C-alpha cells in the first residue's frame, strides 16, 4: 500500500467520523466540517461551529448564523440557554476532539467570544497558530 492509499483510507475514516458526529445536521454544516479537516482554517471552522450552534437554538428562534456579527449575544439575541450551549459544546468537543471546560464556556457572552475560545482551544490541542490555521512549512 502506498502513501496515497493510506491517505485515502484516513480521509474516508475521517469523513465517516465527521458524518457520525454530525448525524442529523444540515449538509452544509457537515461539508464545512469536512472542509476544515481537509485544510484547517478559521473560516471553515467558524462556519461549522455556527452551524452546530444554530442547530441547538430554540426552534422558534432557529436561524442561520453565517452573517451574524461577532457581537451577537448568545443568550439575549439568540435565545441560547445553558442546555443548548452545553449540547452544542458536546458536539464540538466530539467533532474537534478538544476538551471544553463548561464553567469557562458558560461565562462567554457573545458569538465572537465563543468562536475565539473554541478556536484557541483547538489551536492549542492541534499545535497550530491561532491566526488562521496550521503553520505552513
Amino acid at each position: 500500500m502506498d502513501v496515497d492509499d493510506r491517505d485515502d483510507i484516513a480521509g474516508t475514516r475521517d469523513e465517516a467520523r465527521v458524518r457520525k458526529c454530525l448525524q442529523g445536521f444540515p449538509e452544509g454544516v457537515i461539508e464545512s466540517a469536512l472542509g476544515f479537516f481537509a485544510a484547517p482554517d478559521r473560516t471553515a471552522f467558524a462556519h461549522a461551529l455556527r452551524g452546530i450552534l444554530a442547530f441547538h437554538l430554540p426552534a422558534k428562534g432557529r436561524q442561520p448564523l453565517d452573517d451574524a456579527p461577532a457581537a451577537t449575544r448568545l443568550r439575549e439575541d439568540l435565545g441560547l440557554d445553558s442546555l443548548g450551549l452545553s449540547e452544542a459544546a458536546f458536539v464540538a468537543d466530539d467533532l474537534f476532539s478538544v476538551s471544553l471546560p463548561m464553567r469557562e464556556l458558560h461565562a462567554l457572552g457573545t458569538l465572537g467570544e465563543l468562536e475565539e475560545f473554541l478556536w484557541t482551544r483547538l489551536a492549542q490541542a492541534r499545535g497550530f497558530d491561532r491566526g488562521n490555521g496550521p503553520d505552513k512549512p
Side-chain angles (χ1 to χ4, degrees):
M1 178 180 303
D2 65 17
V3 173
D4 290 336
D5 290 337
R6 285 193 303 263
D7 288 345
D8 185 47
I9 291 169
T12 302
R13 184 179 61 237
D14 289 344
E15 181 174 352
R17 188 184 71 74
V18 167
R19 289 191 177 281
K20 182 177 179 184
C21 286
L22 296 176
Q23 187 173 5
F25 282 77
E27 188 63 26
V29 176
I30 295 168
E31 291 300 321
S32 293
L34 290 170
F36 170 79
F37 285 106
D41 69 38
R42 195 167 186 146
T43 302
F45 162 79
H47 192 298
L49 177 63
R50 286 172 178 238
I52 292 167
L53 198 59
F55 188 80
H56 288 92
L57 291 176
K60 65 179 181 170
R62 196 165 290 165
Q63 58 186 316
L65 299 177
D66 293 338
D67 297 324
T72 301
R73 298 171 300 178
L74 298 174
R75 290 158 195 80
E76 297 87 347
D77 298 333
L78 298 179
L80 190 67
D81 60 13
S82 60
L83 179 60
L85 182 57
S86 294
E87 289 174 344
F90 290 136
V91 172
D93 185 325
D94 192 32
L95 178 64
F96 297 115
S97 301
V98 293
S99 176
L100 303 174
M102 287 298 147
R103 181 173 294 191
E104 292 177 41
L105 192 65
H106 285 284
L108 303 172
T110 67
L111 186 56
E113 290 173 355
L114 177 63
E115 285 179 355
E116 184 63 29
F117 175 76
L118 292 175
W119 181 254
T120 299
R121 301 289 295 190
L122 185 59
Q124 290 169 343
R126 292 182 169 256
F128 58 76
D129 175 36
R130 286 183 33 224
N132 192 43
D135 292 329
K136 303 291 183 205

